[in-house]
Every structure is written in C-alpha cells, then in structure tokens.
Amino acid sequence: DAGVIQSPRHEVTEMGQEVTLRCKPISGHDYLFWYRQTMMRGLELLIYFNNNVPIDDSGMPEDRFSAKMPNASFSTLKIQPSEPRDSAVYFCASSFSSGASNQPQHFGDGTRLSIL
Amino acid sequence: SQQGEEDPQALSIQEGENATMNCSYKTSINNLQWYRQNSGRGLVHLILIRSNEREKHSGRLRVTLDTSKKSSSLLITASRAADTASYFCATDARSGNTPLVFGKGTRLSVIA
C-alpha cells in the first residue's frame, strides 16, 4: 500500500520566493495534518483538515502560510513570501477517523525546506 | 498547552541491552501514542495505549501507562542497532476532539 506521499523531498529557495509543498494522503483517510519540525521547537501542528475542511489552523505561524485541500487526495501548504526562519522539515500525516487523536497517524517522509 | 515530555533527551546503550524511555504529560488524556523516527524519515506509529489500559505489548516493545502519575514508559527489550532512532510520545486531551500533541523525543543510539 502506498503511504503518505510528499513532494518535493528537498526545496532550497531564496527568501521572498513562494514555496508550495504537496501531500497525497492515504486513500480512505479523512484526517490530514500538516506539521513543522525544528530542533528548537520540535514537532508543531500547523493545521488539520477533516473531510477536506480546515478544522484548526491556530498553529499556522503567520498570514504568509496558507493550506488548502481541494479534494480528498491532495493538499498543499504554501508560504508566500518565504523567510529564512521558515527553514524546517514539513510533514504531512493522515489518519482514519474516529476523532482527531483516536487513531494512529501515518506520516510522509517530509519536505526539507531551506530558505536562503 | 498539553504536551508530553520525554525523558531522557538522549540515551546510548549497547546492543542487546534494554532501553527505557519515559513520557510525562500534564492533563487527563483519552489515549497516548508512541512513535519512532529514523533519521531523514517521517514518524512511524508504534503503539497506542488507552487511558483505561495499564500495559500493552507489541513484539519487543512494552508500554505502560500510569494515569495517576500522568506518565508512560516505553521499554525496548534486547535492543538492536536498527532501533537507533528518536522516539516520541503523543497525547490528546480528554475533553473535546483535539489533535495529538507531540513531545520533543528521546534520541536512542544502540551501539553494535
């Protein structure tokens, strides 16, 4: 079975540029989560969706960050404009209901983002 | 915000030894989960233990939960070099449909 697929695996870009990260969740999963991982702050939840609807985006650090889930098999996380402090590994995870925390989450291998 | 905190931050052992990692949390939970992360990879779910359970086993893994002390432990028996990874606990909040909150993890090194 295919797991959660993220692209690109690595992204290096200059500050001010727009960055788009992509995620394909596991088929049939109705929860999708976006996380950011840094050494200093650990794994932070940015936003999560249930049935393609954003439920909680309180973890999104600034208005420069936005996320969409146009259908059950695709989600994007966009940063515009990007800044060096956005450098981190971004993970997408999905899970099957019931509830946002009652089932294991399945993680992609992440996008390592470096903003120069 | 509620968050599991793992202890120790780093652990180095010889192959064949047992490894014990602990997790403490702040408020009542419905369940607690443990994950492993190999270098450069995403987190992988290991085990979920519910608040009404005290112990759970999966292969060489043994997880305990003490809700009175708000703590959990993950024991890996007969460790192998392939167990080298970071281990995270994740907790929810008993009230409401809230997502998991992850700790900062324990880095385990198993030396062959």
Side-chain angles (χ1 to χ4, degrees):
Chain A
D1 288 342
V4 174
I5 299 172
Q6 291 187 247
S7 65
R9 285 298 313 276
H10 303 274
E11 175 88 11
V12 180
T13 191
E14 294 185 346
M15 67 176 294
Q17 296 297 308
E18 178 179 291
V19 173
T20 300
L21 311 181
R22 297 172 176 81
C23 175
K24 177 179 170 57
I26 293 173
S27 177
H29 282 188
D30 54 355
Y31 279 87
L32 184 139
F33 306 84
W34 281 102
Y35 293 91
R36 178 172 68 178
Q37 186 178 41
T38 61
M39 288 295 293
M40 288 295 294
R41 300 174 69 92
L43 194 67
E44 302 174 278
L45 177 66
L46 301 177
I47 185 172
Y48 76 98
F49 296 81
N50 178 219
N51 291 320
N52 312 338
V53 176
I55 302 301
D56 185 353
D57 65 354
S58 60
M60 297 284 262
E62 299 173 32
D63 291 346
R64 298 184 296 106
F65 286 69
S66 62
K68 294 181 179 180
M69 192 165 186
N71 56 62
S73 59
F74 184 66
S75 178
T76 60
L77 178 68
K78 188 172 292 187
I79 308 173
Q80 167 62 20
S82 59
E83 296 182 4
R85 59 194 168 120
D86 302 331
S87 298
V89 182
Y90 290 80
F91 288 101
C92 174
S94 68
S95 70
F96 187 68
S97 55
S98 54
S101 61
N102 290 338
Q103 295 293 328
Q105 292 186 15
H106 299 259
F107 282 73
D109 279 336
T111 294
R112 183 173 295 276
L113 178 64
S114 296
I115 308 297
L116 306 177
Chain B
S1 64
Q2 171 160 319
Q3 183 178 38
E5 291 187 7
E6 293 89 346
D7 171 63
Q9 289 188 337
L11 179 62
S12 183
I13 61 173
Q14 297 289 327
E15 203 167 32
E17 293 181 339
N18 296 341
T20 299
M21 289 157 274
N22 302 297
C23 171
S24 59
Y25 56 92
K26 297 174 183 173
T27 61
S28 296
I29 59 171
N30 291 310
N31 66 73
L32 184 146
Q33 303 185 30
W34 284 93
Y35 289 78
R36 183 189 74 232
Q37 183 179 30
N38 290 90
S39 179
R41 304 297 300 272
L43 280 72
V44 174
H45 179 262
L46 295 176
I47 201 161
L48 182 154
I49 186 165
R50 303 196 186 279
S51 59
N52 60 353
E53 297 175 309
R54 291 297 168 258
E55 189 170 311
K56 211 163 180 180
H57 297 254
S58 177
R60 294 184 295 112
L61 304 181
R62 172 179 169 247
V63 168
T64 61
L65 179 64
D66 187 335
T67 53
S68 67
K69 296 181 179 178
K70 293 185 172 59
S71 67
S72 173
S73 66
L74 170 66
L75 169 67
I76 304 174
T77 60
S79 62
R80 306 166 182 169
D83 294 328
T84 294
S86 291
Y87 292 82
F88 297 84
C89 69
T91 55
D92 66 352
R94 178 171 289 279
S95 61
N97 183 23
T98 59
L100 295 174
V101 178
F102 288 80
K104 290 190 175 181
T106 292
R107 293 188 307 278
L108 173 66
S109 298
V110 181
I111 302 167

